[in-house]
Amino acid sequence: MSKNVESKKKAASKKALEKQKNILDMLKSHGAKIYDDLDSGQFPKFSIPSRSVSNIVYDKKLRQYILGNSTALRSSKNTSQLRSFTQLMWLAFFANRLTNEKKSSTLRDIYYSSQAFAIDFEDQSESDNIIVDLEAVTSRPREDFHIFPEERSSIFGDLNIEYTIPGYEGKTMNLSNHPDGYAIGPSLTTAELVDTSAEIVIAIEKGGLFTRFVEEQVDKKFKSIIINTGGQAPRSTRTLLKRLHDEMKLPVIILTDGDVYGEHIAMVIKSGSANAAHLRELTVPDAKWVGVWATDIEKYKLPTIPMTESDIKRCYDLQKDPRYLDGIWKKELEVFLRLKRKAELEAFSKYGLTNITDKYLPQKLELAKSL
Amino acid sequence: MENGLDACDSKGILPDIHLTIKAVDPEKSDPKPYILTVKDNGPGIESKHVPLAFGTVLYGSKFGLKQARGMFGLGATMAILYGQITTNKPVTVKSSTDAKKSDEYELLLDIQKNKPVILKHKTKDVAKKGLSVSICLEGDYSKAGTKIRDYVYQTSLITPYASITFDDPKGEKYPYPRMINSMPKPPTIIRPHPYGTDVETIRRMMVESQFEIPTIDDAMIEKVRKDLGLAKKNFSFTAIMEKAKKRWKTLSRQVRVIIALMSFLKMDFEKLNKIRIEDIDVPNKKLFYWDFGDSTSKSVEMDPESQYYKQLTNTIQGETLTAFLTKKFQRVGPTTAVKFAEFAGFKPEKRLGTMTNQELAKLSDSLQKFDDFMGPDPSCLAPLGEEPLEKGMKKFFNPDFLTVIQRSASAYSGFPFVVEMGIAYGGDISTRGIKVYRFANRIPLLYDEGSDVVLKVINDIDWSRYKAKGDPPLVIVSHICSTRIPYKTAGKENVADRQEIERELKLAIQFMARKLSVFMNKRGQAEAAKKRANLYAKYVPLIAQFCTELAGKKKEPNFQKILQEEELIENE
């Protein structure tokens, strides 16, 4: 191993250690406060940013939803909050152990782990909710506490990374070595992004198209990194997208099905979701949705299926969202509502399996430059 | 039973009532003859009255205006009659008024003549006062048993000062021992209240008040002589008149009337004995009489200026309106009477006897409309009283919460009434939902519950407002006392919804329900505090455990302090 690699490894390891220490210190200070309250005969309490709808506001500057100023007091004296208070304490305690031991856990794991501590979560959605509480109190994403969702998204392309997770520190990997792509999990999101020859990131909604893109060597033909979001992009994927954009200075374009849900998948990557308004660092404001647009349905004469009632309702709901008040977001919603039909990415197969990569993609990449 | 309790009440005797029902032939199937015996420790009935009391229909002493369980004295005789019709067996009555001798009768009722037929009469030595009545009647205990047991149970509830036992035909004993040793004040007989007095009642009262011309017999003559203080030899017309003038103020009304008559007739007693007064014609100022001597009708003029004229007309025309009101009605004083006269548009000195039918109707009408009469006198009523009711309910239900109220007396159409009620919650009450025990004049009302005013009022209340949600284990005792309970039907089982009674019931229930709600709140708070303490006990140690590791400490914080504080608050 060269000296360069050695020092890099040290640097990476140091950076990871620092981050871990930050997290641990923060958890400790929260714990100490609770400890002191109890020890002095007081019911412990803390404040938490309110996540109620009225406190979720759209920040035009940040181009995402954020929480407003109102906070809620959580007190262990209040018996209706006592249980969730204790659950949150447990979660902090558990996250502390995870971080300390450098172990990771899925949301599902958390739910089951709780059962060893007489902290009875009724179901996973309750434990998930407490995890969001921990995020809100600490303003850190759960991934910082080594808590991850089940992974389903993947990445492929010429990108060298260097792991920082225990046991793999300093190990490097090129993400174009395996044609099925690499699952985007904790080890990838925490890895150092070393270098890449790619000039663009293409996020695509569906696994099937991801495979097609790899087969058709879209990575090479268009100097791109291909990411399968697996539907609505998970947080880890959004984190990675942001890092690719911010750290590697790569533009991000998004390809989704030609329906209102596809449009929103693109919007969430671009500017986050209301559900995660308590977190920043998860958005790629410069990301561009290039298709499939409602206008493409007509332009490319794509085979369509009719929109369902819930599709139509979703259109009307999104029309009230401040992010959909202008630009293509507004225009495409209107066209969807006019057509009352939608088209999937696979619809291009009508004109040949490679039609989408040969014809559609180049046109859209060209168009993206002007968006 | 009711008669026994009434008798004891009136004499202030703590009642001991024994009710026994025995089958004549236990092997037979229902319906079959039973012997029903009721024994009390009351004053008994004098031997000579026994046959009439139990051998005639409508022999009763209950005519005064006071509250009693029975009203017309029909109950016992009807039961006897029913027994006689179904089994043709006589009634056996044993009565002792002196705790020494007991008169035992076997009687049948001669229905056509409404007269008793005495089959046997003997006298025995006994040690206890009281009355025992045994009737043989046909019945179906398997069906009626529940109602009979309910009746005894509820009677005992509303008569906590009585000891009641019931031995049923199956050999079961239902003893209800005395719960309190003081008797409620017995009711007194009082005059009627102006409200609710109709023209007929006024007429009857007038007849009572109008003074009749006294019969002049030897006794009366002797009385006049003595009152005037005259010797027999000096008992002439002039002497009488002279003496009467002097002693006028001390004379009784009867004597005054006789003197007045004599003054116009100018006769002494000897002559007076030979005539009969026929008519006193006030408008024409003439006095008519029948002379036995020559068998003719004669008349004399009356001098309207004479003081005796006034005396006579007073007698004939009845009392003045004000005198009538103050004397004949309860709680009407002279001032009120004058005010009323003005209100009704009569002169206060207007005499009742001079009123036309229209005027009487107007009088009766005004009596209902005049607002300034005082409320009716409740002394004729015998509510149980708050304390006995409370004690009785406490013994019966052993409740977690109990409150009683006796409303002050009110009146509907002139009849005074008092509502007393109690609410018991929880404890030994195992029924779900509101159970209502209705009483009227201390008699349990067992049938026809649905249409009763008490039920109506209770059902109209939104109990959830008083924290009694769902099917609370709640017992409500309602006792309406009145000189006349407005029953809806002849069966006397449900009370009609008179607006005044409904109002009193409602106020009573609302008063108690508010107290109930305070209790329920406190109870809820206690339960919540307990729940809270349990929650703290469960979760606070966990929080302590987690934060200890989180804060990197070895020893757990002293969280006992907050747990103890919580307990203190709870125990307050």
Side-chain angles (χ1 to χ4, degrees), chain A residues 5-284:
Chain A
V5 171
E6 194 62 25
S7 70
K8 247 190 171 176
K9 184 180 167 183
K10 267 190 182 166
S13 170
K14 199 182 162 200
K15 202 174 172 190
L17 270 175
E18 246 171 47
K19 191 178 178 190
Q20 184 198 15
K21 192 173 174 302
N22 277 340
I23 304 264
L24 290 174
D25 283 350
M26 183 197 60
L27 287 174
K28 188 173 177 177
S29 78
H30 280 290
K33 200 185 145 289
I34 305 286
Y35 185 98
D36 292 343
D37 277 349
L38 275 176
D39 208 35
S40 60
Q42 308 240 332
F43 279 96
K45 54 179 182 289
F46 58 83
S47 63
I48 181 169
S50 163
R51 297 205 309 280
S52 71
V53 179
S54 60
N55 198 39
I56 296 177
V57 292
Y58 184 68
D59 187 311
K60 279 187 180 158
K61 222 160 138 195
L62 285 169
R63 293 193 283 180
Q64 76 162 95
Y65 274 107
I66 58 162
L67 292 183
N69 291 326
S70 83
T71 58
L73 189 73
R74 293 281 175 86
S75 169
S76 56
K77 182 157 188 164
N78 183 336
T79 49
S80 65
Q81 296 175 354
L82 181 58
R83 191 169 110 105
S84 62
F85 188 101
T86 313
Q87 287 171 337
L88 182 56
M89 278 311 298
W90 171 79
L91 184 67
F93 153 92
F94 193 72
N96 187 48
R97 280 192 175 178
L98 285 174
T99 315
N100 241 323
E101 295 164 13
K102 302 193 178 75
K103 293 217 165 93
S104 54
S105 157
T106 63
L107 298 177
R108 192 93 188 129
D109 282 335
I110 296 287
Y111 168 60
Y112 283 115
S113 304
S114 69
Q115 294 180 3
F117 292 90
I119 296 303
D120 24 283
F121 287 110
E122 266 166 22
D123 48 30
Q124 195 187 324
S125 79
E126 191 181 12
S127 75
D128 287 356
N129 210 15
I130 294 292
I131 293 167
V132 179
D133 276 351
L134 183 66
E135 290 181 325
V137 172
T138 60
S139 307
R140 303 280 189 127
R142 62 195 173 210
E143 287 77 9
D144 282 4
F145 305 106
H146 295 230
I147 299 164
F148 299 91
E150 309 279 347
E151 297 306 337
R152 58 174 194 278
S153 58
S154 46
I155 182 168
F156 182 87
D158 176 31
L159 173 68
N160 287 310
I161 56 136
E162 187 181 319
Y163 292 108
T164 61
I165 61 158
Y168 292 82
E169 294 105 329
K171 198 173 174 184
T172 55
M173 171 74 74
N174 184 280
L175 298 186
S176 61
N177 287 347
H178 182 63
D180 285 346
Y182 295 81
I184 302 174
S187 47
L188 237 174
T189 38
T190 57
E192 285 295 305
L193 308 178
V194 183
D195 57 36
T196 179
S197 64
E199 289 169 1
I200 193 165
V201 179
I202 301 171
I204 190 156
E205 184 188 337
K206 282 179 159 171
L209 268 293
F210 173 78
T211 311
R212 166 91 22 85
F213 275 35
V214 174
E215 277 172 15
E216 296 303 319
Q217 300 186 330
V218 166
D219 58 312
K220 291 197 183 71
K221 284 180 191 160
F222 302 101
K223 285 191 188 312
S224 62
I225 293 169
I226 312 157
I227 286 179
N228 164 29
T229 65
Q232 191 64 263
R235 291 233 208 120
S236 53
T237 308
R238 282 152 63 194
T239 311
L240 189 61
L241 280 169
K242 182 174 181 64
R243 291 187 62 203
L244 286 167
H245 176 266
D246 292 359
E247 294 173 28
M248 311 307 281
K249 309 292 175 211
L250 296 178
V252 175
I253 65 154
I254 306 155
L255 267 174
T256 67
D257 278 342
D259 61 18
V260 62
Y261 293 100
E263 182 172 353
H264 195 58
I265 284 169
M267 179 58 90
V268 168
I269 291 171
K270 189 177 160 71
S271 64
S273 63
N275 285 340
H278 58 291
L279 296 172
R280 315 235 166 130
E281 310 294 312
L282 276 176
T283 58
V284 189

Side-chain angles (χ1 to χ4, degrees), chain A residues 27-28 31-32 34-36 38-44 76-79 82-83 85-86 89-90 92-93 96-97 117-120, chain B residues 531-533 535-536 538-540 542-559 561-563 565-566 569:
Chain A
L27 287 174
K28 188 173 177 177
I34 305 286
Y35 185 98
D36 292 343
L38 275 176
D39 208 35
S40 60
Q42 308 240 332
F43 279 96
S76 56
K77 182 157 188 164
N78 183 336
T79 49
L82 181 58
R83 191 169 110 105
F85 188 101
T86 313
M89 278 311 298
W90 171 79
F93 153 92
N96 187 48
R97 280 192 175 178
F117 292 90
I119 296 303
D120 24 283
Chain B
K531 225 173 165 181
R532 213 164 50 225
L535 283 174
Y536 288 139
K538 179 182 177 187
Y539 287 114
V540 172
L542 287 170
I543 296 176
Q545 182 199 336
F546 301 144
C547 76
T548 305
E549 186 172 320
L550 208 52
K553 307 251 185 182
K554 293 221 161 57
K555 204 176 130 256
E556 281 197 356
N558 181 13
F559 58 84
K561 271 186 268 174
I562 51 175
L563 292 188
E565 265 173 43
E566 264 310 300
I569 293 167

Side-chain angles (χ1 to χ4, degrees), chain B residues 10-21:
Chain B
S10 66
K11 299 288 177 199
I13 301 168
L14 285 169
D16 279 316
I17 310 280
H18 297 273
L19 173 67
T20 315
I21 301 178

